[in-house]
Amino acid sequence: MSGVRRLGRRWRRQRPLRTRLTVAASAAVALVAVGVCTAAFFVIRYEMFHQLDLNLTQSATRVIQENRDAGPQVVAGECRYLSAPACAQIAPALPAEDPAHPYLLPVSAPVREVATGDRAPYFSNITLSGKPMRMLTTRLGDDKALQVALRSDSVEKGVRQAAGLLAVIGAAGVLLAAGLGYWVSRTGLAPVARLTATAERIASTRDPRHRIELPPGPPGRQDEVTRLAASFNTMLGELEQSVTAQRRLVADASHELRTPLTALRTNAELLARADRLTDVQRDRAAGALARQLREVTGLVNDLIELARDEEPTPLLEEVRIAALAEHAVAAARAHWPSTPFTLHIAPDAAETVRPGVPARLTRLLTNLLDNAAKFSPEGLPVEVELTASRHAGSGSESGSGSGSRSRSRSRPRSGERLELTVRDHGPGITTEDLPYVFDRFYRAEAARALPGSGLGLAMARQIARAHGADLTAEQAQGGGALFRLTFA
């Protein structure tokens, strides 16, 4: 049995899905057709023999009424003809009481048992003069049995004709089931075939722009296969965007690296002929080489982080955002001495914490401050503000003592939102540039003459999303750009 199962599993694995579905659908319909025909045959056979049995019962009732006191004898013996009435005879319980004339119908031991009352009346099939007969044996008075028989060949002929007709119908049903199974598999698997063809075409061309054609209709009424095809189209769209972003990243990175690498090569070649340079020229070339190496190193590090398109997941810790903001502003003041930085921290936000990675959040704030300082005119401040707000109905935790109050302030409360804004007084962001400020390598017209690679804001948004925060850019009232970092 296990060998048969293994052969069945092997056959299923080696056959395509369409063949298996065709066989399954055809077998199901064929099984129903054969089952219906078989059931119909037994119903017809039962009804035809039941009608013959009713005729025998009526004939037996009439003979009993006419020969209630008669002794063992043959009552009627012309049943060998189709149009003749039923033949009948009376048999005693004891063989010694049999008449001298032979019986027309066979008298067996069960007939004697019916005569004595030890057995119930019954129907049986016999052969008389080479003709099939249907016989009823029932009790007649005390110690006598009545046997009544009729020709049954017409009934058996009708049963054979019904069997042949139902066999033809069953065979036609099996053929129809095969055709329907093939049609169902071909129609039902058409979207799967299109999906397979599209997948094979994408695999051969490596072009994710192909899509599977979907049948018309509202999305809510689509079947499972159509929804699978729609999901596959969605996946192809995401894959196309990913491939496009990857290609754009490679193209932009190669473009951005070309200039500093050319400068590095020039300065390296210049330093290779240091014996022809003065001390001042040599120091200038060495300084330029070191500066360009730092720029290229920073650019490559940024590219490596952005190419992952996701943040690593180290162990999180409770981070006090106000402390990070103070540290980032102090570092920016040292890095941009000509730009004043102002920091305002609301009392409600001073002790508020959020789960995060301090180094990554510091990098986010540093990128925002460097971007603001780069565009701020000399002498005009970069304004940093940290505030906390609560939704209506949210309250703070209560406790007794200063320790409880401190813990209440430091925990994120339900409905509390923390917002940090960085505002500069530079040229601001034009309406055309606003949707693209967080794209990789995107640089507005006003920024193309300034240092930088266009990766800082893209990295800032990536870090913000990894921490469940939202980073947006907008025009500030009175001029300049405003970046808003919101922690839910």
Side-chain angles (χ1 to χ4, degrees):
M1 194 66 179
S2 59
V4 174
R5 292 178 180 173
R6 284 196 297 269
L7 288 176
R9 287 196 296 267
R10 187 182 306 167
W11 183 88
R12 288 193 297 269
R13 287 195 300 266
Q14 293 176 352
R15 295 298 182 274
L17 178 60
R18 177 175 294 178
T19 301
R20 284 181 283 164
L21 184 59
T22 301
V23 172
S26 302
V29 178
L31 185 62
V32 172
V34 171
V36 170
C37 291
T38 303
F41 167 77
F42 282 106
V43 169
I44 292 173
R45 182 177 180 276
Y46 170 79
E47 290 296 332
M48 294 184 73
F49 275 99
H50 181 65
Q51 186 63 40
L52 183 60
D53 293 343
L54 288 178
N55 293 337
L56 286 172
T57 302
Q58 292 175 357
S59 298
T61 301
R62 185 175 62 253
V63 171
I64 290 173
Q65 291 174 352
E66 294 175 354
N67 301 275
R68 186 176 299 276
D69 297 327
Q73 61 177 320
V74 175
V75 178
E78 301 298 328
C79 59
R80 60 179 179 272
Y81 302 108
L82 285 175
S83 59
C87 57
Q89 68 183 23
I90 301 173
L94 299 176
E97 299 178 359
D98 288 341
H101 299 286
Y103 290 114
L104 179 65
L105 303 174
V107 179
S108 59
V111 176
R112 309 288 186 182
E113 294 175 358
V114 172
T116 59
D118 295 334
R119 181 176 181 142
Y122 66 93
F123 292 95
S124 59
N125 296 316
I126 62 173
T127 301
L128 185 63
S129 299
K131 304 297 182 182
M133 306 286 290
R134 182 74 169 172
M135 184 176 68
L136 167 64
T137 302
T138 184
R139 194 177 187 191
L140 177 62
D142 295 332
D143 297 330
K144 290 184 292 184
L146 176 65
Q147 295 174 277
V148 184
L150 278 173
R151 288 274 298 271
S152 62
D153 46 352
S154 59
V155 174
E156 293 184 358
K157 182 180 178 181
V159 171
R160 288 193 299 270
Q161 290 176 345
L165 181 61
L166 290 174
V168 173
I169 294 175
V174 171
L175 294 177
L176 180 63
L180 289 176
Y182 177 76
W183 178 80
V184 167
S185 64
R186 186 177 181 85
T187 304
L189 294 179
V192 178
R194 292 195 296 268
L195 188 149
T196 304
T198 303
E200 291 175 348
R201 186 163 58 249
I202 293 173
S204 60
T205 61
R206 307 183 72 84
D207 185 2
R209 291 178 296 177
H210 299 286
R211 295 293 184 273
I212 301 173
E213 183 180 355
L214 300 178
R221 296 185 179 180
Q222 293 176 346
D223 56 19
E224 290 79 1
V225 178
T226 304
R227 291 203 298 271
L228 174 63
S231 300
F232 192 76
N233 282 343
T234 303
M235 183 187 68
L236 287 177
E238 297 293 335
L239 178 61
E240 181 182 4
Q241 292 180 4
S242 177
V243 171
T244 302
Q246 182 182 14
R247 290 173 179 172
R248 188 188 308 121
L249 176 63
V250 173
D252 293 342
S254 61
H255 174 75
E256 292 292 334
L257 285 170
R258 186 178 296 114
T259 300
L261 288 177
T262 302
L264 280 173
R265 180 179 179 181
T266 302
N267 287 321
E269 292 176 350
L270 186 61
L271 288 175
R273 298 191 295 270
D275 54 341
R276 305 180 185 179
L277 303 176
T278 64
D279 293 339
V280 175
Q281 292 173 334
R282 187 165 48 252
D283 293 340
R284 186 183 304 165
L289 183 62
R291 183 176 63 255
Q292 290 157 0
L293 280 174
R294 287 193 299 270
E295 292 178 359
V296 171
T297 301
L299 178 59
V300 170
N301 290 334
D302 291 346
L303 284 173
I304 291 174
E305 293 185 11
L306 285 172
R308 288 196 303 257
D309 200 30
E310 60 181 7
E311 284 289 300
T313 55
L315 294 175
L316 301 179
E317 57 182 278
E318 296 294 324
V319 180
R320 194 162 65 92
I321 305 300
L324 284 185
E326 293 171 352
H327 174 75
V329 169
R333 286 170 179 160
H335 190 260
W336 303 89
S338 61
T339 302
F341 289 84
T342 63
L343 174 62
H344 173 71
I345 299 176
D348 291 343
E351 299 296 331
T352 304
V353 298
R354 287 293 184 272
V357 183
R360 302 303 294 162
L361 291 175
T362 301
R363 181 66 179 275
L364 187 158
L365 299 179
T366 299
N367 287 359
L368 292 179
L369 295 174
D370 288 346
N371 180 79
K374 184 167 60 177
F375 288 97
S376 288
E378 187 174 353
L380 293 181
V382 172
E383 302 170 4
V384 182
E385 185 176 4
L386 180 64
T387 58
S389 59
R390 299 181 185 88
H391 298 295
S394 63
S396 60
E397 298 179 3
S398 61
S400 60
S402 60
S404 298
R405 288 193 298 270
S406 176
R407 286 192 300 269
S408 174
R409 287 195 304 268
S410 63
R411 293 176 182 173
R413 283 161 286 200
S414 175
E416 187 178 53
R417 184 175 63 181
L418 193 64
E419 185 176 272
L420 184 140
T421 58
V422 178
R423 187 257 174 96
D424 63 61
H425 293 270
I429 307 172
T430 64
T431 305
E432 294 78 11
D433 293 330
L434 196 59
Y436 309 105
V437 293
F438 295 106
D439 289 353
R440 299 167 180 171
F441 295 107
Y442 182 79
R443 305 182 73 184
E445 290 288 342
R448 294 185 179 175
L450 298 175
S453 60
L455 296 176
L457 293 180
M459 186 178 301
R461 170 167 280 189
Q462 178 174 302
I463 298 172
R465 287 178 174 174
H467 286 77
D470 186 28
L471 178 61
T472 59
E474 58 189 77
Q475 288 278 10
Q477 293 183 356
L482 175 67
F483 289 86
R484 193 183 306 274
L485 177 64
T486 305
F487 293 90

